[in-house]
Amino acid sequence: GENVEQHPSTLSVQEGDSAVIKCTYSDSASNYFPWYKQELGKRPQLIIDIRSNVGEKKDQRIAVTLNKTAKHFSLHITETQPEDSAVYFCGTGNQFYFGTGTSLTVIP
Amino acid sequence: DSGVTQTPKHLITATGQRVTLRCSPRSGDLSVYWYQQSLDQGLQFLIQYYNGEERAKGNILERFSAQQFPDLHSELNLSSLELGDSALYFCASSLSHGRNTGELFFGEGSRLTVL
């Protein structure tokens, strides 16, 4: 099946700094790349996604960049806030396989 | 609220027992996915149904089975339970299936504890 690798597994940043999480994938046929945020004890929720016909998508403080040639995509969070603290998962295509998750902690 | 309903929210049972988890997808969604999330672990894909038919299988144990009914709700059956089956089980739904499904809407999960 699809192999999705996500790095780093944990990330701590100071409030106001930026955070970047990267995923690589193996299935070159994938054209959909979502990012989900899961707060402690809650369900995963989509925060941003990108399709392969664009290289970057931005929504306020979050953005996703895609490099289809290199088969990687990244989540960028700017001006981080304590409420950004959560686990973030990347997925691809059919979303059968997700990255192993990045636990982001924003230190006030 | 995602529109996906899972019951029960919590379930405590003993080893060797059998339980059924239920999921009602978001109105209009035809595709249902089941995932297992153990403590501090990622989302492990179990199985997907689309409009009543099984579409894909992931790392689902033979002791586990699922089905999707004509009204599109789905049930995940877990039998001969072991301690290691303790986990949070998520159901998710989407409108379509295939390689590029679009957003998944997750339920709140069913937390299973096996003692």
Side-chain angles (χ1 to χ4, degrees):
Chain A
E2 168 76 282
N3 185 32
V4 183
E5 294 189 3
Q6 183 173 345
H7 299 281
S9 57
T10 60
L11 181 59
S12 290
V13 299
Q14 292 288 332
E15 182 176 359
D17 287 350
S18 295
V20 180
I21 304 169
K22 181 175 176 179
C23 280
T24 60
Y25 62 97
S26 60
D27 186 357
S28 56
S30 290
N31 288 316
Y32 177 70
F33 306 92
W35 285 94
Y36 291 84
K37 175 184 181 182
Q38 185 179 22
E39 297 178 1
L40 191 63
K42 302 286 183 65
R43 61 186 171 90
Q45 290 185 267
L46 182 78
I47 55 169
I48 196 166
D49 56 12
I50 191 169
R51 294 190 181 269
S52 59
N53 56 342
V54 297
E56 182 174 2
K57 183 177 176 181
K58 192 172 181 180
D59 182 3
Q60 299 182 350
R61 295 186 298 106
I62 60 173
V64 55
T65 58
L66 171 65
N67 184 326
K68 279 217 80 178
T69 302
K71 294 186 196 171
H72 66 73
F73 58 110
S74 299
L75 176 69
H76 304 255
I77 306 175
T78 59
E79 300 172 23
T80 54
Q81 301 169 4
E83 53 264 38
D84 294 329
S85 296
V87 177
Y88 294 81
F89 293 99
C90 61
T92 64
N94 53 30
Q95 299 178 79
F96 294 159
Y97 300 98
F98 288 87
T100 49
T102 297
S103 178
L104 172 65
T105 301
V106 179
I107 304 166
Chain B
D1 183 6
S2 66
V4 178
T5 303
Q6 286 189 249
T7 57
K9 286 186 168 48
H10 300 277
L11 190 55
I12 301 174
T13 189
T15 54
Q17 294 299 304
R18 172 189 169 95
V19 299
T20 297
L21 310 180
R22 182 188 167 102
C23 169
S24 293
R26 205 174 59 121
S27 178
D29 284 353
L30 300 177
S31 195
V32 170
Y33 306 70
W34 286 98
Y35 297 89
Q36 179 192 58
Q37 187 174 46
S38 302
L39 191 64
D40 294 332
Q41 296 294 310
L43 294 163
Q44 300 296 315
F45 170 66
L46 297 178
I47 198 163
Q48 181 208 14
Y49 282 84
Y50 179 79
N51 204 21
E53 293 188 4
E54 181 185 305
R55 283 288 177 170
K57 262 186 174 180
N59 300 320
I60 188 166
L61 300 171
E62 286 191 11
R63 300 183 286 108
F64 296 0
S65 65
Q67 55 184 326
Q68 185 179 30
F69 294 86
D71 67 352
L72 301 177
H73 91 271
S74 178
E75 292 181 357
L76 178 66
N77 302 296
L78 315 175
S79 62
S80 302
L81 286 169
E82 302 175 358
L83 296 177
D85 297 328
S86 296
L88 189 54
Y89 291 84
F90 283 108
C91 168
S93 73
S94 69
L95 180 60
S96 62
H97 67 97
R99 283 191 177 277
N100 302 290
T101 55
E103 181 176 1
L104 294 187
F105 296 87
F106 285 83
E108 298 292 334
S110 292
R111 183 169 295 283
L112 172 66
T113 302
V114 182
L115 300 176

